Amino acid sequence: MEEGSARIRLTSCLAFVLVVASACTSTTSEETPPRSTAATHEAAIGVTVAGIQKHLRALQDIADSNNGIRAAGEPGYDASVRYVTETLEKAGLDVSMNEFAAPIFEQTAPTTVRVGGSDLALRDGRDMKAMLYSPSGRVSAPLFTVDWDTTDEVRPGPGCDANGFDSVPFGAIVLAQPGSCFLRDQVIAAERAGASAVIFSFPEFTRDEGLRRPTLLSPAGIQIP
């Protein structure tokens, strides 16, 4: 297993917060019949289904124009910030942004997975994706499957308790399913058990549905690809 030149870098990012201001009081008179509770609430906060859908479509258009990505550190994120800022300013709000440092995942070369003794090679972007915040690495080792059950509707993946990877041979590449905890918890547990790499399988995701890219949330504490 080889992950091509994935690296973690620190960059300045922009964060934004949406604030909805609403009127707190209202009056009615005999000449003005009271509106329904739902209509009054909707008018007070200024939120409608049509309005929500408008902004969702705008954000989706931004994603479509940026390779489907609006993650922090990417051009799609900056475009999203501009859209939100302009929208809030048009509504009469003063907008300010604070810069802060955050880890950003950047993959600079394809990930490859080959099965020794066969012609099987998984293609990056079609069959698999490196998890966000995965370290780089080149590993050649036996594949060890842990708690494999594709029929269980409740994700049975190991590593959500202290003994989940006790059976893993030292240095093996672990093939597992997601569990009921964070993927980073499973990876850290596998690493502590001596695994040299981890591959997660999502049987419910098909090629027709589109390949997902899971996240490890943070690179902290993870050394194996």
Side-chain angles (χ1 to χ4, degrees):
M1 174 181 179
E2 176 185 350
E3 185 195 328
S5 301
R7 59 193 177 97
I8 304 298
R9 60 186 174 87
L10 287 178
T11 187
S12 293
C13 301
L14 298 177
F16 55 85
V17 178
L18 288 177
V19 178
V20 178
S22 63
C24 297
T25 61
S26 63
T27 59
T28 60
S29 66
E30 294 181 358
E31 291 77 20
T32 306
R35 305 173 66 183
S36 68
T37 301
T40 302
H41 180 69
E42 184 175 89
I45 64 175
V47 176
T48 65
V49 172
I52 293 172
Q53 292 174 335
K54 174 186 175 182
H55 295 308
L56 289 176
R57 284 192 295 268
L59 292 172
Q60 185 60 54
D61 289 343
I62 291 173
D64 294 340
S65 300
N66 290 275
N67 298 317
I69 301 174
R70 295 194 302 110
E74 299 290 339
Y77 179 84
D78 295 335
S80 301
V81 171
R82 288 194 296 271
Y83 173 77
V84 173
T85 299
E86 292 170 0
T87 300
L88 294 175
E89 288 177 342
K90 288 178 181 178
L93 299 178
D94 293 327
V95 181
S96 62
M97 291 175 284
N98 300 319
E99 293 190 357
F100 61 94
I104 299 297
F105 176 82
E106 182 179 34
Q107 183 175 341
T108 58
T111 297
T112 60
V113 174
R114 296 185 179 89
V115 178
S118 74
D119 295 328
L120 177 60
L122 304 182
R123 184 182 301 174
D124 191 11
R126 185 195 69 177
D127 306 312
M128 63 179 181
K129 288 184 178 180
M131 287 190 285
L132 295 174
Y133 299 116
S134 169
S136 296
R138 183 188 297 267
V139 177
S140 178
L143 188 68
F144 187 80
T145 304
V146 183
D147 290 348
W148 195 259
D149 184 1
T150 60
T151 64
D152 193 339
E153 294 183 359
V154 179
R155 288 181 169 179
C160 293
D161 57 65
N163 303 318
F165 289 101
D166 282 354
S167 60
V168 175
F170 185 83
I173 297 174
V174 168
L175 175 62
Q177 292 175 261
S180 58
C181 57
F182 290 121
L183 292 176
R184 68 169 283 105
D185 295 335
Q186 291 177 273
V187 171
I188 289 175
E191 181 177 341
R192 289 174 177 170
S196 59
V198 177
I199 300 174
F200 284 108
S201 175
F202 294 79
E204 66 269 32
F205 295 152
T206 65
R207 190 173 293 172
D208 291 339
E209 293 176 352
L211 193 62
R212 307 296 197 272
R213 185 192 285 275
T215 178
L216 295 173
L217 301 177
S218 166
I222 299 177
Q223 301 297 323
I224 61 175

